[in-house]
Amino acid sequence: MRQLSIIALCLLIAVLLAGVGGVYAYDSGRDDLIAEGVRVGAVDVGGLRATEARALVRDRLLEPLQEPLLIRVGDESFPLSAREARIRADISAMVADAVRRSREGSVFSRTWRGLTGGQVRARIAPTVGYSEAAVQRLVDRVRVKMSRDAVDAKVDFAAQNLTVRESKTGRTIDAKRLRAKVRTALVSTAGERTVRAELEKVQPKVSSGRLADRYPVVLTVDRGGFRIRLFKNLKEVKSYPIALGEAGQETPSGLYNIANKAVNPAWNVPNSDWAGDLAGTVVPGGTPENPLKARWMGIYDGVGVHGTADRASIGSNASKGCIRMLIEDVKVLYDQVPVGAPIYID
């Protein structure tokens, strides 16, 4: 009886060993088999051997990525080939990861799963690479071609008129957003290889409608016609006769601003031969010796607009560089011109 028990135990051990050996043999024969339910990206590789999976992933994942990527901006197109983008994918690593996930667990759990049709719910993220420099070059190409600087409104000054140059709205591309969209499209296996970019408006700093606000008052001096003109909000409202600098002491041309103003100004006499005994002195305002009558609007380097008692000089080159006006005219003009107002001398 005891001998029979020993024989039975030995038989049981032999059966168990045979079973375990069979399990290990079954499992070792599936060491490169990917479990059902495993995907690489959107590619179902479940039930495939590693070699088969690599071929399928190459066909389903890598091949679509070889199609050119296209950026569309309105009617313009900007292509980027896979070669330029240096598209690359480590298919072997992705499949190896799929096999590794399939081999998780014990030999017995894997065998049971294989025999019963169980699945491993796993999705392997595709590892796709590209050239960041190529992306940057593409976005730069789009930006340079499609962007346009905004143009501020401006005024062209002339002796007799002011010409307004209209502002223009610019446009640009959000380069940061476009780069992100290109990066996403380059590694997408969904088949969509077109990226659409929108142009954004760039408003000018100075619009045509706001230009008059920047130039509420402008003076222009027509040296050939001996006239000074007053413009308000870029429209001429009045002109006055003037006298200008004589030969050798011409009134300077150019664009200036009214630097200072004074009523009955003192005269700081230049140290010049023509000033005679008054050279280097200060002549009080309102005195007969002071030629700066009634009002003063300084321009540049001792030159300014002022009233004169020499009415006969109006319409001629008679001053030492200043702009002379009739006293009644300079009083009216003075009250309408603030410090800082532009004055253009042609």
Side-chain angles (χ1 to χ4, degrees), residues 265-279:
W267 178 33
N268 294 288
V269 185
N271 278 308
S272 300
D273 292 341
W274 60 261
D277 293 340
L278 294 177

Side-chain angles (χ1 to χ4, degrees), residues 29-214:
R30 297 163 58 89
D31 60 355
D32 68 339
L33 184 68
I34 299 172
E36 295 291 343
V38 177
R39 293 175 176 270
V40 175
V43 182
D44 184 359
V45 293
L48 300 180
R49 297 285 180 177
T51 302
E52 298 170 320
R54 283 192 290 270
L56 183 63
V57 171
R58 184 175 293 106
D59 180 61
R60 299 280 183 84
L61 188 149
L62 188 57
E63 288 303 318
L65 296 180
Q66 300 305 305
E67 293 295 321
L69 181 140
L70 200 64
I71 294 179
R72 287 195 179 277
V73 188
D75 295 331
E76 297 285 342
S77 297
F78 301 85
L80 178 66
S81 69
R83 182 175 180 180
E84 289 176 297
R86 297 184 181 179
I87 296 294
R88 56 195 180 276
D90 193 344
I91 294 174
S92 294
M94 288 184 274
V95 172
D97 198 16
V99 171
R100 181 186 63 77
R101 296 293 299 274
S102 301
R103 301 292 293 170
E104 290 178 349
S106 69
V107 62
F108 299 105
S109 64
R110 290 194 299 269
T111 300
W112 178 257
R113 186 174 64 231
L115 293 173
T116 60
Q119 294 187 347
V120 173
R121 300 292 183 182
R123 183 182 290 269
I124 310 302
T127 53
V128 179
Y130 54 86
S131 167
E132 186 63 42
V135 172
Q136 186 63 55
R137 286 194 298 270
L138 175 64
V139 172
D140 286 345
R141 192 162 74 244
V142 175
R143 179 179 53 79
V144 170
K145 177 69 178 294
M146 301 306 299
S147 294
R148 183 178 64 203
D149 291 337
V151 177
D152 289 342
K154 62 174 292 188
V155 174
D156 287 341
F157 296 90
Q160 299 180 12
N161 57 69
L162 302 177
T163 302
V164 174
R165 293 191 179 273
E166 300 293 331
S167 61
K168 294 181 180 179
T169 301
R171 65 190 188 192
T172 189
I173 291 285
D174 187 331
K176 182 178 180 180
R177 184 188 305 170
L178 182 56
R179 279 195 300 271
K181 293 172 74 172
V182 170
R183 292 186 187 111
T184 299
L186 279 175
V187 300
S188 172
T189 59
E192 178 57 50
R193 306 293 286 169
T194 299
V195 174
R196 299 191 181 277
E198 299 297 328
L199 290 170
E200 299 179 358
K201 290 183 178 181
V202 179
Q203 298 298 333
K205 294 179 181 178
V206 182
S207 66
S208 299
R210 298 294 301 275
L211 190 62
D213 295 339
R214 297 192 68 180

Side-chain angles (χ1 to χ4, degrees), residues 223-292:
R223 292 190 299 177
F226 295 99
R227 305 289 294 186
I228 186 169
R229 288 178 169 82
L230 170 65
F231 293 81
K232 290 187 176 181
N233 298 318
L234 305 179
K235 303 294 184 182
E236 183 179 345
V237 295
K238 187 70 175 177
S239 71
Y240 303 92
I242 56 175
L244 297 167
E246 63 189 9
Q249 298 194 63
E250 291 84 358
T251 302
S253 63
L255 179 62
Y256 305 93
N257 295 88
I258 298 300
N260 50 71
K261 296 174 62 178
V263 175
N264 292 324
W267 178 33
N268 294 288
V269 185
N271 278 308
S272 300
D273 292 341
W274 60 261
D277 293 340
L278 294 177
T281 64
V282 177
V283 179
T287 60
E289 297 82 10
N290 189 334
L292 311 182

Side-chain angles (χ1 to χ4, degrees), residues 241-243 290-295 305-315 318-319 323-330:
I242 56 175
N290 189 334
L292 311 182
K293 301 301 183 183
R295 303 289 187 270
V305 180
H306 63 82
T308 181
D310 186 2
R311 300 178 68 89
S313 69
I314 298 298
S319 76
I323 300 167
R324 293 180 180 178
M325 296 183 68
L326 296 174
I327 292 175
E328 60 269 28
D329 289 343
V330 78

